[in-house]
Amino acid sequence: ALKLDVFEPKAPPLFGLDISSSSVKMLEIVDAGKGVLRVERYAIEPLPKDAVVDGNMNSLEAVVEAVKRLYKRLGTRSKHVAMAVPTGAVITKKIIVPAGLREEELEVQVTAEANQYIPFALEEVNLDFQVVGPSPSSPEEQEVLIAATRKEKVEDRVAVAESAGLVASVMDIESFAQQAALELVWKGLPGGGKDQNIAVVDVGANVMNVSVLRNDNTVYTREQAFGGSQLTQDIVSRYGMSPEEAENAKRSGGLPDDYEAEVLRPYMENLSLEVQRALQFFFTSTQYHSVDHILLAGGSAVLSGLEEVVHTRTQVNTVVANPFKTMGHSERIQLKKLMADAPSLIVACGLAMRRFDPT
């Protein structure tokens, strides 16, 4: 059985397979030599409404069908995929254990600790852990990061891959994959983002997740019920389209002339208000009083002009998170399209980069 492989890199060439609530994304990145990565191929396939809700596979068949169609379109020979379980389905915790334990002793300690705070039986759980390093408070101790998720979350995803004829060789966590991709983004910020508070605003279909990162540590995270499906809904009710038509029109244009002023603009204003609220929550619940950068990620981040709207409202430097800026791309990829799709490919990008982990 495949356990959670958050910390266990694997060797075979693989591509990223990200299943979100609105679509399935596949992305393959290769090494172009001289330290340059190249986006080799990618594809996005929308999912039927309610096939995946809150990271739960309500319709395994619908997801498998979408993955099969997508794999055909992707046209890679690789069958190995890196996948991720939703952040909300994973409990992560740092624990302190004595330094210098042997692997078996460490496993016993981790299991004992995990028992205390995981609200379900350990036989229902997939567990992984990694030694972070010496404890900041004492050299006799070390910090260990534990990640645990319900087995069914992993098994559903493995089942999707296998039913589509693929091999799930890495199982990551969405937040870890996202962070791996975002590291490429904040290396490009002034001072490489060092000692700065970077707010990552990830707008999914139904949920807006805001995390504030400082030097690779997540210092704050909060979810708000607001997402891109709100805009789809507005298009449906205003223009009498079906949800599918609305989703497509949102991405590719072709909406009536008053769309910009009457639908898109108010949605973007609402979104920036939500961002402002999230920052207020951050300031009141931590010792921090400022944010240096806002990175926009997720499907809604591709809306043109959104960075200006958010910047105007928050007065914080706002950029669309694009991990592909420093990468090359193969000739089969349209650069303009890749740049537009970038914010919704962040998790897929982090997963695709697992093939470069040192084994």
Side-chain angles (χ1 to χ4, degrees):
L2 180 70
K3 60 178 200 353
L4 204 61
D5 287 320
V6 186
F7 313 115
E8 280 299 304
K10 294 285 186 291
L14 51 79
F15 61 92
L17 166 55
D18 172 30
I19 300 170
S20 75
S21 51
S22 57
S23 61
V24 181
K25 303 152 192 104
M26 286 181 181
L27 172 72
E28 187 173 32
I29 294 173
V30 298
D31 183 351
K34 297 200 172 57
V36 175
L37 297 177
R38 182 172 76 220
V39 182
E40 196 57 26
R41 41 171 76 82
Y42 81 97
I44 300 174
E45 178 82 28
L47 279 171
K49 197 170 159 35
D50 297 334
V52 177
V53 177
D54 288 338
N56 296 319
M57 309 267 174
N58 287 353
S59 166
L60 221 53
E61 296 74 53
V63 179
V64 169
E65 283 313 304
V67 169
K68 282 181 174 164
R69 283 196 300 274
L70 198 53
Y71 184 66
K72 211 179 227 148
R73 273 176 45 208
L74 193 70
T76 180
R77 292 216 294 279
S78 172
K79 285 207 173 303
H80 289 267
V81 296
M83 299 175 79
V85 289
T87 310
V90 182
I91 298 170
T92 53
K93 193 166 174 62
K94 268 191 187 158
I95 62 166
I96 302 284
V97 300
L101 291 179
R102 292 202 313 275
E103 190 71 16
E104 308 81 81
E105 297 171 321
L106 194 54
E107 240 167 77
V108 172
Q109 284 243 236
V110 164
T111 311
E113 284 275 343
N115 241 332
Q116 292 172 31
Y117 68 85
I118 292 173
F120 11 82
L122 277 186
E123 49 274 14
E124 295 173 28
V125 170
N126 280 335
L127 206 58
D128 196 14
F129 63 90
Q130 183 186 43
V131 175
V132 181
S135 151
S137 51
S138 152
E140 275 97 72
E141 296 176 323
Q142 55 182 350
E143 281 188 322
V144 176
L145 183 61
I146 307 182
T149 186
R150 302 278 302 256
K151 280 204 167 105
E152 72 218 34
K153 298 284 182 196
V154 174
E155 283 159 2
D156 279 354
R157 281 159 180 75
V158 172
V160 165
E162 285 177 352
S163 308
L166 303 171
V167 183
S169 56
V170 169
M171 192 61 69
D172 208 329
I173 302 170
E174 284 175 4
S175 57
F176 285 27
Q178 183 185 49
Q179 198 161 335
L182 289 176
E183 277 173 19
L184 300 172
V185 177
W186 67 67
K187 280 188 183 132
L189 294 172
K194 201 170 146 37
D195 298 331
Q196 297 172 31
N197 290 341
I198 299 167
V200 180
V201 175
D202 183 354
V203 188
N206 305 302
V207 173
M208 182 170 108
N209 188 297
V210 178
S211 344
V212 182
L213 301 158
R214 187 176 178 88
N215 298 334
D216 286 358
N217 287 320
T218 303
V219 291
Y220 177 80
T221 177
R222 180 188 163 82
E223 278 194 349
Q224 285 166 220
F226 179 88
S229 60
Q230 186 56 56
L231 180 57
T232 310
Q233 208 36 61
D234 296 346
I235 295 172
V236 167
S237 50
R238 186 165 181 102
Y239 304 115
M241 296 179 164
S242 74
E244 287 70 31
E245 290 169 336
E247 267 303 322
N248 283 331
K250 199 163 84 171
R251 289 173 200 285
S252 50
L255 282 156
D257 292 343
D258 68 352
Y259 167 65
E260 193 102 350
E262 297 295 321
V263 181
L264 182 59
R265 196 74 197 182
Y267 171 78
M268 296 203 293
E269 288 294 346
N270 278 341
L271 194 152
S272 58
L273 268 172
E274 289 288 332
V275 174
Q276 193 181 27
R277 276 183 54 204
L279 296 184
Q280 287 315 127
F281 282 119
F282 166 63
F283 299 143
T284 51
S285 55
T286 64
Q287 80 262 36
Y288 299 109
H289 305 292
S290 68
V291 160
D292 299 281
H293 305 280
I294 294 172
L295 301 184
L296 298 174
S300 285
V302 302
L303 299 171
S304 98
L306 182 61
E307 358 179 276
E308 289 88 346
V309 177
V310 173
H311 172 252
T312 304
R313 160 100 27 215
T314 59
Q315 293 299 303
V316 175
N317 174 40
T318 304
V319 278
V320 171
N322 182 349
F324 307 116
K325 262 198 171 128
T326 54
M327 294 189 195
H329 61 97
S330 66
E331 58 279 4
R332 65 168 73 77
I333 284 176
Q334 297 170 279
L335 188 61
K336 198 170 163 225
K337 198 161 166 16
L338 175 66
M339 292 303 146
D341 287 331
S344 49
L345 289 168
I346 295 206
V347 170
C349 172
L351 292 172
M353 285 167 61
R354 286 299 296 260
R355 72 183 286 177
F356 305 110
D357 283 351
T359 41

